[in-house]
């Protein structure tokens, strides 16, 4: 199963531990998590279903290549990190 890790910033607002999902693509994996945590969708995706500008996802150490379709392939043992950028001064 792919392992999805959410940044601590998101954990401040929602209970988002590491989630294990059986999915062949990033979109399928995220949809599976959103089915369990519907509020999380709004923090990660915009109204059109694309990654928000302040969110970046790394799959097995490489940045996801497509922010709209989110069709990057996942291996059964993929490590996926969903990070939310911080701002402020």
């Amino acid at each position: 199963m792919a392992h999805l890790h959410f940044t601590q910033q998101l954990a401040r607002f929602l209970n988002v531990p590491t989630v294990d999902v059986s999915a062949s693509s990033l979109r399928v994996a995220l949809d599976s998590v959103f089915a369990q945590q519907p509020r999380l969708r709004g923090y990660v995706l915009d109204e059109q279903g694309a990654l928000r500008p302040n969110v970046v996802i790394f799959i097995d150490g490489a940045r996801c290549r497509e922010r709209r379709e989110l069709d990057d392939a996942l291996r059964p043992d993929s490590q996926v990190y969903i990070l939310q950028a911080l701002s402020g001064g």
Side-chain angles (χ1 to χ4, degrees):
M1 293 197 159
H3 309 285
L4 279 68
H5 309 272
F6 291 86
T7 181
Q8 290 298 318
Q9 289 305 105
L10 290 171
R12 286 182 21 200
F13 305 109
L14 300 164
N15 181 21
V16 286
T18 298
V19 180
D20 295 333
V21 296
S22 180
S24 60
S25 73
L26 179 58
R27 173 69 70 181
V28 172
L30 289 174
D31 285 344
S32 177
V33 174
F34 298 152
Q36 298 170 30
Q37 291 277 358
R39 287 183 47 218
L40 184 58
R41 179 184 295 273
Y43 287 98
V44 177
L45 303 179
D46 65 17
E47 295 76 22
Q48 288 77 39
L51 278 183
R52 290 195 172 278
N54 65 327
V55 174
V56 65
I57 297 178
F58 289 91
I59 302 167
D60 300 322
R63 194 172 185 164
C64 76
R65 58 182 175 75
E66 217 295 309
R67 298 183 61 84
R68 207 169 283 288
E69 297 299 320
L70 301 171
D71 59 358
D72 295 80
L74 298 181
R75 297 187 328 253
D77 63 343
S78 283
Q79 299 291 321
V80 181
Y81 290 86
I82 298 96
L83 309 169
Q84 190 176 34
L86 301 177
S87 62

